[in-house]
Amino acid sequence: MKELGDRLSPVGEHSGKTVTVIGGGVAGMSAACALAEAGLRVQLVDRRGYLGGRASSYLHPGVGEVIDNCQHVLFGCCTNLIGFYRRIGAADRIHWTSQMTMIEPGGRRSRLGPFECGPLRLPAPLHGAPSFLSAKAFSFRDKLALGRAMRALMRPGAADDPAESLGDWLRRHGQTEGALNRFWRLVIASALNAEIDSIAVPYAAKVIRELFLNSAEAGSMGMSCIPLSELYAGVTPYLAERGGGVRLNTAVEGAAWDGAQWTVRTRSGEVTSEFVVVALPFEAMAQLLPHLPPVEGAAELAGKIARHEHWPICSVHLWFDREITELEHAVLLDREIHWMYNQSRLQTGRGGHYIELVVSATRAFAALPREQAIRQAVAELEEFFPRAKDAKLLKAALVKEVRATFGVPPGIDTARPAAVSPWPRLFLAGDWTATGWPSTMESAARSGHLAAEAVCAAMGTPRMVLDADLRLRGLMRLLSL
Ligand SMILES: Cc1cc2nc3c(=O)[nH]c(=O)nc-3n(C[C@H](O)[C@H](O)[C@H](O)COP(=O)(O)OP(=O)(O)OC[C@H]3O[C@@H](n4cnc5c(N)ncnc54)[C@H](O)[C@@H]3O)c2cc1C
């Protein structure tokens, strides 16, 4: 493997300009690295002692293990996130797979994935059709209903009304109970972390097109082989080599503008710079607003922020005395837990028999006390993997992320602000800003890249930072015309 320094892109020429990026999540890190590449001196500031924000890992005191706050998956269509990983030399730490195993209670399995027979491939959107048609998890009527909905989604404009909910759209397209429960609710909970009646249909359409229709490459799934915060090890040297740095354990409390530069106030002193990028989640942005200079447009921004709401995700981390499955990951049907990740197989150098279970979009599970949540998760796991009944549970952790993601209900687009803010030389990023993507690492990376473009434009040196979308493949090129 190449040394970290070899994998980072070369140090560019300094513009002499300075920028403070507030928030060291994926949005802030992406903005910071893109701006350093553009020649600015960047200070990246975060209140925590590690980078990554809502996509990070830490030493869990209860189990004495470094765990991710939750398994994070990306897809081939996440071009900006992958671009950020490339920039910091982390792209080769992602394990990619095109195969997905769906398991019913009792253990019956269906495999979904692109058709491959030697060199023979089917063109998109037919690449997944053979495995879908042979999947035992769906009845013939479910398959007909899903096929009808997929065909509708292939037509441009067929699911573009931002005021319509996915639930209403699905009812208009005659979906069966099996299709609703085993496909729509599951895919939507996994990708958009909300119920079908709380999602604007264009967001669901985007996810379905990217994951199942546009190309096999767009729908391939990626998972980090190392704990999430270790993925970002390249960020600090990347910024340092370009004249910048990272300040951890530095909570920002406010900022002042003197007509030429910003002074960002933190609990451990002040940081001055000509530009600022605020890359905070919407709740933290709301708290910062009263501590920014008064300006026309601030009240409107506060009104937009107030329209956002968050959704929880829970993860249950279990260590057994033996292996309970040979699968790396699986989708679990008809129960509260949606995903199983076999972390001992997925993460390099991870010993033991460590299984992570993910429960998305359910406020009821998030409200359960710890012992009850773990008991329920283990009982459900045994329905899918009988070997778990004989295994001894050595230790367990429950991670509840109550503010995991923001929702994308009908009409939400008017509440997602662009990178250019009402303040001079202060720009906004964060997964909740106007990226067109739901609450994901890709939305965060896009927002960081859009903010970097806005800073470069304000400096008078416009620059393309956003990574291009993947091209449509096969028949999808014709169907999209
Ligand atoms: C449990 C869970 C599972 C998820 N699963 C997936 C998944 O599988 N795939 C996917 O793509 N996405 C997933 N997401 C969503 C994804 O994690 C987020 O969309 C993304 O990480 C948001 O990045 P961000 O930079 O916009 O915000 P954040 O990650 O929230 O970053 C904001 C940063 O600001 C810092 N901060 C806050 N206040 C201050 C302050 N006053 N001063 C200084 N710093 C401050 C925080 O410490 C944080 O580091 C999941 C999220 C969670 C929580």
Side-chain angles (χ1 to χ4, degrees), residues 22-29 45-48 50-55 69-74 78 81 190 250-253 279-281 284 287-288 312-315 341 358 399 401 403-406 429-432 438-445 447:
I22 304 173
V26 173
M29 291 188 290
V45 179
D46 199 282
R47 66 173 182 173
R48 289 184 175 164
Y50 50 88
L51 291 173
R54 277 172 284 157
N69 66 326
C70 185
Q71 172 69 50
H72 275 64
V73 301
L74 64 143
C78 298
L81 182 64
S190 306
T250 304
V252 170
E253 296 179 327
L280 297 177
Q287 283 169 10
L288 187 64
I313 299 181
C314 297
S315 53
Y341 297 96
V358 177
V399 180
E401 287 276 5
R403 295 174 175 171
T405 59
F406 65 91
D431 60 352
W432 63 284
S439 185
T440 51
M441 296 183 289
E442 172 63 11
S443 182
S447 76

Side-chain angles (χ1 to χ4, degrees), residues 289-319:
L289 272 184
H291 308 286
L292 294 178
V295 68
E296 202 179 63
E300 191 190 335
L301 179 60
K304 288 182 176 180
I305 294 173
R307 287 176 51 201
H308 285 277
E309 69 163 346
H310 49 244
W311 284 77
I313 299 181
C314 297
S315 53
V316 182
H317 304 250
L318 306 168
W319 283 262

